Amino acid sequence: MVAEAAIRGEGVALGRSVLIADDIAAGRLVVPFPQYKLKAERGYDLVYRTGSQDTPKVRALREWLSEEMRMLEE
C-alpha cells in the first residue's frame, strides 16, 4: 500500500526490493539513492491515521501485536 501511495505521488516510501522491482523496472517508482541499501531481516511497522491511536480497534490491535511479540521473545 505504501508503494501504491508513492506511485500516486503522495510521498516517498521504503520497500523491499523484491516487492517493488517491477514498479522500478516499469518506471513507476525510482530509487533516489541507489548507492544505499538497508539490510532488513524481519521488520514490520504498524501505521495508522494520526489521532486514531486510542480508538478501540487500533488499541486492540496494538495490544494483541505487543503480546505476540513478547511471546516470540521468550
Side-chain angles (χ1 to χ4, degrees), residues 6-70:
I7 290 168
R8 289 190 305 267
E10 297 177 16
V12 298
L14 295 175
R16 292 193 180 266
S17 55
V18 68
L19 298 177
I20 59 172
D22 290 342
D23 292 315
I24 293 169
R28 291 184 291 267
L29 292 174
V30 297
V31 181
F33 308 106
Q35 68 273 30
Y36 300 109
K37 289 195 183 232
L38 300 174
K39 183 176 179 178
E41 292 180 20
R42 291 183 285 167
Y44 298 91
D45 293 307
L46 174 62
V47 295
Y48 41 82
R49 187 171 303 178
T50 301
S52 66
Q53 66 271 15
D54 291 320
T55 61
K57 289 179 180 180
V58 173
R59 189 173 347 131
L61 180 59
R62 273 194 356 246
E63 290 170 2
W64 176 77
L65 286 171
S66 293
E67 181 60 29
E68 290 293 312
M69 295 307 297
R70 276 192 290 276

